[in-house]
Amino acid sequence: MTDHAPNEARVIPLRPGPAASGPPAPPATAPREPLWRHLVGDVLRKERQAQERTLKDVADAARISMPYLSEVERGRKEASSEVLAAAAGALGLGLGDLLARTHAELVRVTSHRSAVPARSVRNGSVRNRAAHGGLCLAA
């Protein structure tokens, strides 16, 4: 019988393995945009609480169920414009007032992002929009 080398496959990794110094760092994730339904719910809840009114009181005045209004306030339901108008009206607000307050909340929540310079890539070059007053100039 002849001596043959053992029949073992040699594995060549396609990517380098993790560094021996420790576990790999988690991938950086961009902050998520807030959902509109969460912002609307926060605005409705804050206004209701500012008026010291109960969920039942506002739901009855808006002619919507208390559990549904609760779900809307917690951002779990995507309410129709009719439901939002009814809830806003029960709080003495117009739909435009509710949307304006929600927009202001969106700006407040996302304002920290404007401090980070936005970057764009065009034709292989990177331009910093902050250097141009927030505008991305194309050649």
Side-chain angles (χ1 to χ4, degrees):
M1 198 160 146
T2 62
D3 288 328
H4 289 286
N7 191 11
E8 293 180 21
R10 191 174 114 194
V11 177
I12 302 172
L14 297 176
R15 293 185 200 138
S21 63
T29 58
R32 291 178 47 176
E33 288 286 331
L35 295 177
W36 186 254
R37 69 176 184 253
H38 292 151
L39 297 169
V40 169
D42 287 344
V43 169
L44 286 172
R45 185 184 322 101
K46 286 176 186 174
E47 181 60 30
R48 179 179 59 78
Q49 291 172 342
Q51 293 181 16
E52 298 180 351
R53 293 175 66 187
T54 65
L55 200 58
K56 181 175 180 2
D57 176 44
V58 174
D60 288 347
R63 296 180 181 234
I64 57 179
S65 75
M66 189 175 67
Y68 189 75
L69 180 58
S70 174
E71 295 282 305
V72 169
E73 282 190 359
R74 289 183 289 148
R76 295 192 175 197
K77 295 291 182 186
E78 193 81 53
S80 68
S81 58
E82 291 87 359
V83 169
L84 293 177
L91 293 167
L93 302 172
L95 183 57
D97 299 324
L98 175 62
L99 298 180
R101 290 182 184 194
T102 304
H103 175 261
E105 182 68 7
L106 175 64
V107 169
R108 186 190 69 75
V109 168
T110 59
S111 66
H112 70 280
R113 293 184 190 164
S114 64
V116 177
R119 299 174 72 146
S120 74
V121 176
R122 182 177 170 92
N123 296 335
S125 66
V126 176
R127 295 187 178 110
N128 188 334
R129 285 190 234 170
H132 302 288
L135 298 175
C136 179
L137 305 176

